[in-house]
Amino acid sequence: MKNEDEPKDKRVKAADAQKLTMAEVAKYVGVSAMTVSRAFRQDASVSEETRKRIMEAVDALGYVLDLSAGSLSSRRSGFIAALVPSINNSNFSDTARGITDALENTGLQLLLGYTDYSAEKEERLIEAMLRRRPEGIILTGGSHTDRARRMLDKAGIPVVETWEIPEEPINHVVGFSNSEAMSLLVRALANQGYRRFGYIGGTTARDTRGSQRRSGFLKTVEELGLGPGRVISFGVPPITMEQGGQAVVSLLERWPDTEVVLCVSDLSAFGAIMECKRRGMNVPVDIAIAGFGDYEISSICHPSITTINVDCYGIGQQAAVRLLDAVHGGGSMGDEITLTGYKVVLRESTNRGGT
Amino acid sequence: MKNEDEPKDKRVKAADAQKLTMAEVAKYVGVSAMTVSRAFRQDASVSEETRKRIMEAVDALGYVLDLSAGSLSSRRSGFIAALVPSINNSNFSDTARGITDALENTGLQLLLGYTDYSAEKEERLIEAMLRRRPEGIILTGGSHTDRARRMLDKAGIPVVETWEIPEEPINHVVGFSNSEAMSLLVRALANQGYRRFGYIGGTTARDTRGSQRRSGFLKTVEELGLGPGRVISFGVPPITMEQGGQAVVSLLERWPDTEVVLCVSDLSAFGAIMECKRRGMNVPVDIAIAGFGDYEISSICHPSITTINVDCYGIGQQAAVRLLDAVHGGGSMGDEITLTGYKVVLRESTNRGGT
DNA sequence: GGACAGAATGGTAGCGATAACAATCCGGAA
DNA sequence: TTCCGGATTGTTATCGCTACCATTCTGTCC
């Protein structure tokens, strides 16, 4: 059935390839373009025999489907957009991995962007993403510019906000209360007998999750009658390991009798612990230190670091699953909140008895 | 000049918005769609006055450009594809960040995928990416399946391979010799007087950079007359911090007099150091340990970790810049090799005098 | 034997933008 | 005044695919 008056070699030059179209594949096989299009989808009704012949031709010619044309026609872009504050933070890259994994074999492609913890950059990214007509979008946190909210609203696609519980959710939320999680950690440590609490975090409110953790800390220390909490703000969020080290020095200079220091993340906690050891202090005997996020480093570090374990991967995965439900359900989405778990992980760095 | 017989409210419902098209914006303003299209590009010739009116309408209506339609017509997708082994490894996420940053304000969008160190997954991802007709593609390493090579060849787009120097490069390369880098580290440590060298790496060749580092290690130890090198293979690459800890235990059980242990990455080195400390050993007095990659952790850790500093961010950035040159230069690309720097960073973990 | 259901395939008309070319307008030079 | 060139805007024809509907061809049932 092959088109014999236009013999094709198995090897086609790149120049040809660039303009190889579905119609040419169809001509080569001797069917219509429509049939070739159907052969690429599993649901369509094409006889096995025809599909096989088409796929052989696709292979021989080296044809690659053009989804940009397809999505224009079908009005389905096949994209899901996701914005995370940083791709270099393993908590968020775990979330990104959760999203990607959930999207595997769904035919959906992830468009990933990072906002650098900036609402303005988020706004620009949202616009850039919407130009690709994603079928859904996953955001981190609930702080967005007005224009961003308007654009999302008009786009009419399902939105999932993650990693925290916004005061005014857009659609669905997959996350947990950072404030309550930090509160749980404070109480757990107070239970162990700690009384004089310090806290290390960044200087601005850019990192809303960080701010929530701090306010959870302050509120709980107060509630337990142990206030006021001793807070050191150091560095633009997200604060680094090194800044954690510098901050703990400031904190101990100012309040030398501090018993336990909670940090906005494990990274700063690690930096703080290492700086203390470098200065000859014994953690946890001289000073106890805890983090947040349960990064890989915290279970390996010596001393291992007390922290809050958060289901980063699960946040991404569940957000994607919710979005898939909505996309397959016709683009509408219930405005529910999916709470993800967290738990205190007590380790050596806050062991009152010493290591 | 507004179209008065079809009054529009400033607020348009989401349902309307979804089908808002450039032609409707044009009608609203009283110009042709072509003029609206031009107004969105800075190079085009539209009078300032008209552009302003159009942009006001765009704002009022909440119109968002549809790039999927535009790219079909202009035959420029505006995508750059990049594949990294893992998004959770900070070395590669630094590279991804370098790419994204270089792409900012170029109007190009990054399509990011991770291969999980698998050539098969890479092949699937390459196909998925090519369906979006990227204008260029950045890969990690030089190991690709035959079909992947064929697809890339036929796609006729510039390809940049990164992070190593492939034996048979496809187009451009931005990277360094992992073997020579490791060799340099071995020599630096031999210079310090170390004689009995151990090595910790993964079990398979999936991670080609890891394999290259190992062979660089073995070759150099041999050349220095210090061979054979003591190699422990443990865990499927990329090996974790924890596996680094387990591996160093095996290594010291088998060769208790080992003086210095080189690890395939800083992460395993960190795990090894922490495990040693946990067992009461003093690093570097009892055993010296070095890593590869100069992750943030290595300068903060106590003891700080000797390693090879690699310009991860620069690799991504330069790869993107090369690709941009090629894209703007009409899609062709010289098959050059851009060598990126690396350097030995000697720190406490291999300090012969002790910390 | 004719009608008909169902499977497989084909034809046509867009999807929403842009390339390419045509048309219009304007002021200044001849 | 007339003509010309540059700036601005409009018209038309795709880009490569898929939705939608029409058509063909079986085999089955009464």
Side-chain angles (χ1 to χ4, degrees), chain A residues 311-333:
Chain A
D311 186 12
C312 315
Y313 181 88
I315 289 177
Q317 200 194 29
Q318 291 200 57
V321 168
R322 292 287 168 288
L323 214 45
L324 287 173
D325 286 351
V327 167
H328 292 139
S332 69
M333 175 170 231

Side-chain angles (χ1 to χ4, degrees), chain B residues 177-200:
Chain B
S177 164
N178 285 263
S179 157
E180 284 174 26
M182 184 55 92
S183 176
L184 193 66
L185 181 56
V186 172
R187 286 174 198 281
L189 292 171
N191 264 344
Q192 301 226 318
Y194 289 108
R195 287 295 170 263
R196 294 186 291 279
F197 282 78
Y199 183 88
I200 288 173

Side-chain angles (χ1 to χ4, degrees), chain A residues 80-277:
Chain A
I80 291 291
L83 300 182
V84 294
S86 159
I87 207 177
N88 292 69
N89 179 300
S90 82
N91 272 189
F92 294 125
S93 60
D94 276 346
T95 298
R97 199 162 46 84
I99 298 172
T100 317
D101 288 356
L103 254 36
E104 188 146 28
N105 300 321
T106 60
L108 257 27
Q109 243 271 316
L110 178 63
L111 280 177
L112 189 63
Y114 67 88
T115 65
D116 243 339
Y117 293 86
S118 148
E120 284 67 39
K121 190 158 181 198
E122 187 195 56
E123 178 186 308
R124 289 202 302 280
L125 279 169
I126 287 175
E127 179 163 25
M129 295 295 181
L130 290 180
R131 289 182 168 189
R132 301 287 181 179
R133 297 292 185 268
E135 301 182 32
I137 186 165
I138 297 173
L139 304 175
T140 306
S143 301
H144 320 290
T145 65
D146 282 346
R147 200 168 87 89
R149 279 181 183 276
R150 256 179 282 128
M151 287 191 294
L152 290 169
D153 192 41
K154 281 192 60 70
I157 56 173
V159 177
V160 181
E161 289 165 288
T162 60
W163 268 95
E164 56 184 81
I165 314 290
E167 296 192 5
E168 297 180 42
I170 300 178
N171 274 183
H172 205 101
V173 173
V174 176
F176 62 97
S177 164
N178 285 265
S179 155
E180 283 173 27
M182 184 56 90
S183 175
L184 194 65
L185 180 56
V186 172
R187 286 174 198 280
L189 292 170
N191 264 345
Q192 299 225 319
Y194 289 107
R195 288 293 170 265
R196 292 187 292 280
F197 282 78
Y199 182 88
I200 289 173
T203 49
T204 74
R206 271 163 39 110
D207 174 11
T208 54
R209 288 155 300 288
S211 304
Q212 289 154 12
R213 288 171 201 168
R214 178 196 319 226
S215 63
F217 166 82
L218 285 171
K219 190 173 122 269
T220 311
V221 166
E222 210 65 52
E223 281 173 10
L224 293 172
L226 305 174
R230 302 152 172 203
V231 172
I232 289 287
S233 297
F234 191 90
V236 176
I239 69 175
T240 61
M241 291 179 177
E242 187 175 2
Q243 290 170 326
Q246 294 171 291
V248 79
V249 172
S250 308
L251 194 143
L252 291 177
E253 272 172 10
R254 182 145 169 215
W255 296 289
D257 65 341
T258 302
E259 290 177 337
V260 59
V261 179
L262 275 62
C263 303
V264 67
S265 90
D266 282 1
L267 303 179
S268 36
F270 175 76
I273 290 173
M274 290 297 140
E275 185 59 31
C276 288
K277 295 195 81 168

